[in-house]
Amino acid sequence: MECLPYFERTLIAFLLVIFLAHLIKVAESKKVLFLPASAASHLMQMDSLAVGLVARGYEVVTILNSRTKTAKGIVSSNVKVIEFDSGVEPTFQTRVYQEMTLAPELTDLGLLEKIKLMSKKSALSQSECRGAFLDRNLHRTLEREKFDFVVVDAIMRCYIIIPYKLGVPFGVFSSFLMPDIPHAALQSPFLVRGPLDDKVSYGDHPSLLIKLGKLFFITGFVKGNDVFGDICDIPINELLRQTKLWLYDVSTVLATPMPVSPNVINVGGLNVRRSKYLPEGELKQFVDGATDGFVLVSFGSIAKFLPDNIVSILLETFRDVPYKIVWKWDKNSLKTDQVLSSNVFAVNWIPQNDVLGHRNIKVFVTHCGNSGQHEALYNSVPMVGLPLFGDQMFNCKKIEGRFGRHIRAKDLSKDKLLHLIKQVISDRKYSDNIKKASAIFRDQPMEPRETAAYWIDHVIKYGADHLMSTTIEMSWIQILMWDVLFVVCVVISLLLLVVFLVCRCLFRRCCRSKIVIKEKAKLS
């Protein structure tokens, strides 16, 4: 070193300092594992979470089923990917799964048929999970990585066995409030949540059957997913109680505000961002030329196999819509008798957020997926909902009458859909309401991904004991306060019994007195 010129010695010392600083940063950086579902929309949501953590200096790793067709280009380049082979096609991209999820919306299925469908769909996701559990290479790799925290997609909640086996604290990410989540996260407020949630989900008068079903979920009578006894010694619904952090892609502007535990964090709108100018091409020319306005029609990344009758109704409606139509659809899948009208531009993929931010858009015809709704909210675009499965019916109920209208798939007709599109465009109530809601939604101290990253970082640093409700340690009898109600009922019953006995005693004494008086009167 001493024989080197001063400049070269300085440069070498500078590079050495940078190298050592990098080593220190790598040594100190925390590592988080993501366990996502194989659906493109869920991959995008969780990747947004990952990007927020990377910005905070975290190292993020995600596992991916190697058979997932939609993963290419979704996961960010600065997120490490570990692939595994589940041995089965990913649940959400199978035609069988999509046809099963559409069945309840297209037909009037009875309760038993719905239960059978739910069982079949559950079996598909369980097969994918089991494939991950049995992949020894995957587990050896994950054990070597030494993670500080794990984030599990709620749709594939069976994955929580992985962090349990690794001995790592975990959080759960979900795009909606599932019916059995209160069992772990919303326990105390369940009785309050019931009427708030039910009115949105099921109308003003939810049936007794629905209420009983929700009760069975929270009490644990309906266990569900407890089919991995050969792999894990604790049922999955019990493992949910160990969740340190619940991240919901839910916004109070769209959803019903409700009381929750401090470790339940709303991060609605993870995929939302300021819209960009569309790149030069046919799509840009088409929407720029729609000076009278255009309608965007998209049913998300999962719904790729709509029934022919639904597609035919859409095509018939498009012909009579007095606006241009941008339709996210593979036009090559159309049958010979299904012809696109001249006002329709059909394309396999669109930059949806950027199209929603275009100045000429009038309305968004959507399946009411969570991400799409938040993008429409951010860009102040009223909606016409056509729910297909999952949480989409619940999401559509949230916009009904405020930010748009919706129609069930089994009630769909050309006249009804055309009427709703024209109504939402012509009635300024919908556009005014969503403009105000958009302003509220945008007025946040941090972006949703930053909020999520902050709370994950917080829990890793300090744990979550100060955030978790003590109801986690209670039985459902204590949570629902049935023990208190029992004591109250016993006390009231005893008081009523005492009052009854006193009244009966007084009545008998009064009657005896009258009899004695009458007998004395007879003797006299």
Side-chain angles (χ1 to χ4, degrees):
M1 284 283 290
E2 293 182 1
C3 62
L4 291 175
Y6 174 78
F7 175 77
E8 292 183 10
R9 291 202 306 270
T10 305
L11 179 61
I12 292 173
F14 178 72
L15 293 175
L16 185 60
V17 168
I18 292 178
F19 178 70
L20 290 174
H22 176 73
L23 288 180
I24 293 172
K25 182 180 179 182
V26 170
E28 293 181 347
S29 66
K30 301 292 185 180
K31 191 180 293 186
V32 178
L33 172 65
F34 278 60
L35 305 177
S38 54
S41 56
H42 286 255
L43 283 170
M44 287 189 286
Q45 287 171 317
M46 294 198 77
D47 187 63
S48 184
L49 287 173
V51 169
L53 282 171
V54 169
R56 276 184 166 264
Y58 275 77
E59 185 179 350
V60 180
V61 178
T62 186
I63 68 167
L64 275 180
N65 188 341
S66 59
R67 302 181 183 226
T68 303
K69 299 173 183 176
T70 55
K72 308 303 180 185
I74 292 179
V75 180
S76 300
S77 57
N78 48 11
V79 174
K80 181 180 177 180
V81 176
I82 298 176
E83 290 194 356
F84 71 97
D85 186 358
S86 67
V88 295
E89 188 178 3
T91 305
F92 303 103
Q93 68 185 34
T94 62
R95 184 167 190 134
V96 174
Y97 179 86
Q98 296 188 33
E99 288 175 348
M100 285 194 296
T101 52
L102 280 170
E105 285 302 316
L106 298 175
T107 56
D108 293 313
L109 294 179
L111 179 61
L112 288 177
E113 286 79 4
K114 288 181 179 179
I115 292 174
K116 288 179 182 177
L117 278 179
M118 288 176 64
S119 178
K120 289 179 180 177
K121 289 192 293 183
S122 179
L124 286 173
S125 60
Q126 288 164 8
S127 297
E128 191 172 355
C129 280
R130 188 169 287 276
F133 300 152
L134 298 177
D135 190 327
R136 296 185 181 277
N137 291 330
L138 173 65
H139 284 272
R140 280 195 291 266
T141 303
L142 296 181
E143 286 175 354
R144 286 196 301 268
E145 291 284 345
K146 304 296 182 184
F147 295 104
D148 298 283
F149 197 74
V150 180
V151 180
V152 183
D153 192 323
I155 287 187
M156 299 296 288
R157 70 188 69 182
C158 44
Y159 278 158
I160 65 173
I161 292 176
I162 294 176
Y164 171 71
K165 290 285 189 180
L166 294 173
V168 180
F170 62 90
V172 173
F173 168 77
S174 180
S175 56
F176 63 101
L177 295 173
M178 296 183 173
D180 55 341
I181 293 300
H183 182 66
L186 311 172
Q187 297 194 22
S188 184
F190 171 78
L191 293 177
V192 178
R193 181 194 169 192
L196 291 174
D197 202 16
D198 288 342
K199 187 169 183 179
V200 177
S201 303
Y202 308 107
D204 292 336
H205 304 288
S207 69
L208 179 62
L209 184 63
I210 290 171
K211 291 180 178 178
L212 286 173
K214 292 171 75 69
L215 177 64
F216 285 161
F217 268 120
I218 191 172
T219 57
F221 283 122
V222 178
K223 289 292 183 183
N225 290 326
D226 298 343
V227 293
F228 301 103
D230 57 325
I231 297 173
C232 183
D233 56 343
I234 300 179
I236 287 175
N237 277 18
E238 288 301 314
L239 281 179
L240 281 171
R241 287 174 175 265
Q242 300 180 19
T243 304
K244 304 300 182 185
L245 191 65
W246 299 86
L247 299 170
Y248 284 113
D249 194 356
V250 174
S251 167
T252 53
V253 181
L254 285 174
T256 306
M258 59 183 69
V260 293
S261 300
N263 66 331
V264 179
I265 310 298
N266 286 347
V267 289
L270 284 169
N271 291 338
V272 169
R273 55 173 173 74
R274 189 179 299 278
S275 59
K276 303 175 182 177
Y277 289 109
L278 293 171
E280 293 296 332
E282 292 182 84
L283 176 60
K284 184 179 187 307
Q285 292 176 3
F286 186 83
V287 295
D288 284 351
T291 52
D292 294 329
F294 71 90
V295 177
L296 173 61
V297 182
S298 174
F299 301 110
S301 58
I302 296 180
K304 297 178 180 178
F305 308 109
L306 287 177
D308 288 341
N309 64 313
I310 297 292
V311 174
S312 296
I313 292 172
L314 291 173
L315 290 170
E316 290 173 12
T317 306
F318 294 163
R319 291 189 188 97
D320 291 343
V321 172
Y323 303 98
K324 288 188 174 183
I325 308 284
V326 175
W327 187 22
K328 182 184 174 294
W329 193 254
D330 181 7
K331 57 186 176 183
N332 294 323
S333 66
L334 296 175
K335 302 294 176 57
T336 53
D337 59 334
Q338 296 174 333
V339 182
L340 286 173
S341 52
S342 59
N343 65 327
V344 180
F345 181 83
V347 62
N348 290 347
W349 179 87
I350 57 169
Q352 185 168 282
N353 187 74
D354 299 332
V355 174
L356 286 167
H358 196 278
R359 63 184 182 277
N360 292 337
I361 192 166
K362 290 286 186 181
V363 69
F364 181 27
V365 178
T366 171
H367 64 310
C368 293
N370 190 60
S371 296
Q373 272 199 326
H374 279 105
E375 289 174 344
L377 174 65
Y378 184 86
N379 291 290
S380 307
V381 181
M383 291 165 269
V384 172
L386 180 62
L388 300 174
F389 55 84
D391 61 325
Q392 295 163 16
M393 174 51 68
F394 173 74
N395 293 341
C396 279
K397 287 287 184 69
K398 292 186 294 187
I399 68 166
E400 178 64 34
R402 294 194 300 160
F403 312 129
R405 299 292 310 279
H406 85 281
I407 184 171
R408 300 285 292 269
K410 60 185 177 184
D411 300 324
L412 186 67
S413 69
K414 169 192 168 183
D415 292 336
K416 289 180 181 178
L417 181 57
L418 185 61
H419 169 72
L420 292 182
I421 292 174
K422 289 181 177 179
Q423 181 185 10
V424 172
I425 292 175
S426 61
D427 192 338
R428 289 189 57 84
K429 172 183 73 174
Y430 301 109
S431 57
D432 290 343
N433 284 346
I434 202 165
K435 281 178 183 176
K436 180 180 178 181
S438 178
I440 296 172
F441 178 62
R442 290 178 181 226
D443 193 5
Q444 301 182 58
M446 289 190 290
E447 290 185 2
R449 69 176 64 177
E450 294 172 346
T451 302
Y454 168 82
W455 282 107
I456 292 174
D457 181 65
H458 181 90
V459 170
I460 290 174
K461 285 179 179 176
Y462 308 112
D465 291 344
H466 59 295
L467 300 173
M468 299 174 72
S469 170
T470 55
T471 53
I472 291 175
E473 301 169 359
M474 296 180 184
S475 68
W476 60 267
I477 292 176
Q478 294 172 303
I479 293 167
L480 296 178
M481 297 182 68
W482 283 11
D483 52 345
V484 177
L485 290 174
F486 175 76
V487 172
V488 170
C489 289
V490 169
V491 171
I492 292 173
S493 298
L494 289 175
L495 287 174
L496 290 175
L497 180 61
V498 169
V499 170
F500 171 75
L501 293 175
V502 169
C503 289
R504 189 174 73 168
C505 183
L506 291 174
F507 177 76
R508 286 181 175 179
R509 183 172 294 182
C510 180
C511 289
R512 285 175 184 173
S513 299
K514 288 182 179 179
I515 291 171
V516 170
I517 292 172
K518 286 181 181 180
E519 288 179 351
K520 287 181 178 179
K522 287 180 181 180
L523 291 175
S524 62

